[in-house]
Amino acid sequence: MRPLLALALLSLTAATHAPVTPTSIVASAPSSAWRAISPDDLLVIDLKNGRRVIIQLAPRFAPVHVANIRALARASWWDGATVYRVQDNYVVQWGHNEGTAPLPANVVAKPPGEYWRRAAGLKIHPLGYRDSYAPKVGFADGWPVALDRAGKTAALTHCYGFVGVGRDLYPDTGTGGELYAVIGNAPRPLDRNIAVVGRVIEGIDAFSALPRGTGDLGFYTDHAEEVPIARVRLASSLATVDQPSFQYLDTNSASFARYVHARANRKDEFFECPAGGVDICNVPVPIRRTPAR
Amino acid sequence: MRPLLALALLSLTAATHAPVTPTSIVASAPSSAWRAISPDDLLVIDLKNGRRVIIQLAPRFAPVHVANIRALARASWWDGATVYRVQDNYVVQWGHNEGTAPLPANVVAKPPGEYWRRAAGLKIHPLGYRDSYAPKVGFADGWPVALDRAGKTAALTHCYGFVGVGRDLYPDTGTGGELYAVIGNAPRPLDRNIAVVGRVIEGIDAFSALPRGTGDLGFYTDHAEEVPIARVRLASSLATVDQPSFQYLDTNSASFARYVHARANRKDEFFECPAGGVDICNVPVPIRRTPAR
């Protein structure tokens, strides 16, 4: 009987002293720590293969580009477009690569840079650990940001799943018609060099598991390889019953602070040697489907 | 004629003042800066679907685990094994997940930790930029390493494509029979918590583009989803004419130092705002097929 007893005691111990992990902290965050995401900020991409990718837009960081993207979605501009580039450990890119689709009249053809914004007006929760690229990093309004030394400007960081605007050589900034999502190690050198407009919050594997393109920069060399897009819509344009609904964890909440600490100091049954630090892209802001009431 | 002339002049300028990029630095490195990789350090994985993945082993960092892996390959132990786990933005894992295949007699069943090694004996080229996880980072023998504050121990870093040894809860270290490769943002919290034994140097997309597993931690829930492995061999076990041959750029060479600088200070036609820093996983050590003489 002894082994059984020992096992029972062990289980009891595990239940009462379950290790605190990032997951357990997020799971126990109070409902007051969660913030709703507006359906105007949700871009829903339906691929013809039946897969769906949902992107949260970041209008406070790239307002002109996001307004363009909303206008393009409302004009059904991407219907029939394709995913035409998949570069391993870098990006997936989609749109009308041939550039033949005329832009709707309400799309700004040459938007301003929007590679960063003034930090004034943002309530920033500092990450509290060293960053390899920026003097300071933190979170604002549920988004990871890199600050300049004086803390006067904030740029969204190129983390896994983040979405940016394809562009030609500087000073072109792109319209928003060609977008890419990061599917590899965070390409942070792109920060402050391109407009970041959002992040994939569901269905990233519909992009990341696609066959890699064999052309330069991962472009598909044969149009037959491209992945057709059925339609792209704002959630707010869908019938109410069809609207996906999401929340993000308030990055100024106590739960989020505990989550950051746990990500930087992994110490549970598996981890024996906590790093005592973490890069901002390894602290993804928790996002969830809005729970049923 | 004017536009044509202007274009011709522009092309001439581009040719004579081509921007220095990481790629151009590597392309112009002298042959004396390249080091051969031993065929005993190349693990060749042939999937049944015809794809090949080649891993460079790191015997100086995890000698017992690498010796196990060589013994397993020589015993054809992985023939008929599968890729059974694909977790998005994390790892692909393979082996005999059911644990039913008996280990060859010359495999050490309980290897020592090998999560890091003494730095003495390594000639380390410092990265020279901040790291989010370790007090110091650099390169040794063609490998990225994270050092402790005193610089006495060095751990291989979990970068994209890096290969580690699946294990149970600590203090188990794994035999080397179950291996994983990183397919997402560098999971550096794993550094010093697991044995890193190498990196994928060719064919990573045969892993990274696989469908993600829908079970917990990305395990495939149905055996039919698993990706069969035809065979795993050391390059040194293949017929000479079939042996792949690779070189890495000497991380103590002048070319490598220039390459690091360029990675941290992207300033070419596309980049307008250099970061002035870089994380070690965004400085992949250049690897190439050995050029024909």
Side-chain angles (χ1 to χ4, degrees), chain A residues 23-34 249 253 255-256 258 288:
Chain A
T23 304
S24 72
I25 291 167
V26 173
S28 64
S31 58
S32 60
W34 293 91
L249 189 63
S253 68
S255 295
F256 186 77
R258 282 197 297 274
R288 68 176 184 184

Side-chain angles (χ1 to χ4, degrees), chain B residues 38-42 74 233-239 243:
Chain B
S38 162
D40 263 340
D41 292 351
L42 293 174
R74 289 188 180 115
R233 299 283 184 273
L234 293 172
S236 53
S237 301
L238 301 176
Q243 285 183 14

Side-chain angles (χ1 to χ4, degrees), chain B residues 64-261:
Chain B
V64 180
H65 286 88
V66 168
N68 273 3
I69 289 166
R70 287 176 178 147
L72 290 163
R74 289 188 180 115
S76 306
W77 189 80
W78 282 291
D79 296 13
T82 64
V83 179
Y84 54 78
R85 178 190 181 194
V86 184
Q87 185 173 1
D88 195 69
N89 191 19
Y90 200 44
V91 297
V92 167
Q93 190 166 328
W94 65 94
H96 290 285
N97 189 28
E98 307 209 334
T100 50
L103 292 171
N106 57 341
V107 166
V108 178
K110 295 194 178 297
E114 299 190 324
Y115 300 163
W116 61 84
R117 56 156 282 168
R118 287 172 59 239
L122 297 176
K123 190 174 173 197
I124 295 171
H125 175 85
L127 175 66
Y129 303 102
R130 290 184 304 274
D131 185 71
S132 293
Y133 297 91
K136 303 173 194 172
V137 288
F139 297 89
D141 277 332
W143 294 93
V145 291
L147 305 172
D148 64 298
R149 194 163 301 278
K152 294 204 167 169
T153 63
L156 289 178
T157 52
H158 274 82
C159 296
Y160 192 89
F162 273 57
V163 176
V165 177
R167 66 163 168 86
D168 243 324
L169 295 184
Y170 183 85
D172 180 277
T173 72
T175 60
E178 312 297 315
L179 297 172
Y180 63 86
V182 171
I183 57 159
N185 193 56
R188 298 276 312 278
L190 292 172
D191 294 357
R192 292 179 185 263
N193 282 292
I194 212 158
V196 181
V197 292
R199 64 184 157 206
V200 175
I201 59 173
E202 197 173 275
I204 182 76
D205 64 305
F207 282 162
S208 58
L210 289 175
R212 277 45 181 161
T214 54
D216 284 347
L217 305 175
F219 285 89
Y220 289 130
T221 52
D222 186 337
H223 284 308
E225 296 175 286
E226 296 179 7
V227 182
I229 293 170
R231 69 195 69 78
V232 180
R233 299 283 184 273
L234 293 172
S236 53
S237 301
L238 301 176
T240 309
V241 293
D242 293 333
Q243 285 183 14
S245 176
F246 288 88
Q247 300 175 321
Y248 67 93
L249 189 62
D250 180 354
T251 46
N252 289 109
S253 68
S255 295
F256 187 77
R258 283 198 296 274
Y259 167 75
V260 171
H261 180 81

Side-chain angles (χ1 to χ4, degrees), chain A residues 116-136:
Chain A
W116 61 83
R117 55 156 284 166
R118 289 172 56 240
L122 296 176
K123 190 175 173 197
I124 294 171
H125 175 86
L127 175 67
Y129 303 103
R130 290 184 304 274
D131 185 71
S132 294
Y133 297 90
K136 302 172 194 173

Side-chain angles (χ1 to χ4, degrees), chain A residues 88-89 130-134 160 167 170 185-186 189 193 204 208-210 212 270-273 275 277-279 282, chain B residues 88-89 130-134 160 167 170 185-186 189 192-193 204 208-210 270-273 275 277-279 282:
Chain A
D88 196 69
N89 191 19
R130 290 184 304 274
D131 185 71
S132 294
Y133 297 90
Y160 192 89
R167 66 163 169 85
Y170 183 85
N185 194 56
N193 282 292
I204 182 75
S208 58
L210 289 175
R212 277 45 180 161
F270 189 84
F271 289 86
E272 275 300 306
C273 184
V278 68
D279 80 274
N282 260 337
Chain B
D88 195 69
N89 191 19
R130 290 184 304 274
D131 185 71
S132 293
Y133 297 91
Y160 192 89
R167 66 163 168 86
Y170 183 85
N185 193 56
R192 292 179 185 263
N193 282 292
I204 182 76
S208 58
L210 289 175
F270 189 85
F271 289 85
E272 276 300 306
C273 184
V278 69
D279 80 274
N282 260 337

